[in-house]
Amino acid sequence: MRAHACKCEMVWLPGVRLFVDMAAKSPSRPNHSRARLITREQEDAWYALLFTRASVTDRIDRDLQEQHGLSFSAVEILCRLYDDEPQSLRSLANQLVSVSSTRASRLVQELVDAGHLQRGADQDDGRKSIISFTPAGRRYTEKVARTLEDAVLRYFIAPLDDEDIAAIARVWDKLRAAQAEELTISRR
């Protein structure tokens, strides 16, 4: 079941995502563990990050669904492919943050079926599928990308000031560096 929400809080039921009024709420602190490896403030920051991602992405998804009948994940595929085509499905899926590679494959097929994308064979390796735009799909993606950018501006950029954006960028840089270091260590 697909959930549409605005100003809503996720409520999990087996196999279903429901949403209730969230505009005046802040992330609640689950009481699932007696372990205290992190402080309450650190735990609050973690849940705030998850809450923010869910609420902002959901509002953007709603705008994209209303205006274009596409999910945020489908639009992410179109936008990732737009500046770098053709791409293999694997390469494209590795860039996505909103879906697994299995789901990406299904979304690409839906975009092919809708006439936005096309599949072709890799010239170097005929076993690989290469994804590219149809001419109509490229034009359509330009419209969709404007809607995405407007929604990002409205739901993410506008409520923040330059210091907030810089702080988020610093946090991302630190987390990305830590992940790169962890990957380097694990490869040794």
Side-chain angles (χ1 to χ4, degrees), residues 46-146:
W46 168 245
Y47 285 107
L49 174 68
L50 297 177
F51 178 84
T52 300
R53 187 228 183 250
S55 65
V56 170
T57 303
D58 188 67
R59 288 182 283 172
I60 292 170
D61 186 72
R62 185 192 67 235
D63 283 5
L64 293 167
Q65 285 285 350
E66 287 173 0
Q67 294 182 40
H68 302 287
L70 293 175
S71 67
F72 174 79
S73 300
V75 172
E76 183 185 11
I77 288 170
L78 295 174
C79 291
R80 295 282 184 184
L81 186 61
Y82 191 83
D83 290 326
D84 188 18
E85 75 165 310
Q87 288 188 49
S88 70
L89 183 55
R90 176 176 285 182
S91 172
L92 184 59
N94 285 340
Q95 299 172 53
L96 303 175
V97 296
S98 64
V99 293
S100 68
S101 58
T102 302
R103 179 72 180 131
S105 179
R106 282 187 241 128
L107 285 170
V108 164
Q109 188 56 53
E110 289 174 17
L111 292 166
V112 167
D113 293 345
H116 304 305
L117 301 179
Q118 57 193 0
R119 290 182 187 266
D122 186 325
Q123 298 299 324
D124 298 327
D125 183 351
R127 297 171 296 171
K128 286 185 183 177
S129 179
I130 297 295
I131 310 301
S132 61
F133 282 101
T134 62
R138 182 167 270 284
R139 287 188 302 275
Y140 180 70
T141 298
E142 291 169 359
K143 293 177 191 170
V144 171
R146 281 192 292 277

Side-chain angles (χ1 to χ4, degrees), residues 157 160-171:
I157 303 297
L160 305 175
D161 60 29
D162 290 344
E163 288 179 22
D164 296 330
I165 300 295
I168 291 168
R170 279 192 309 278
V171 168

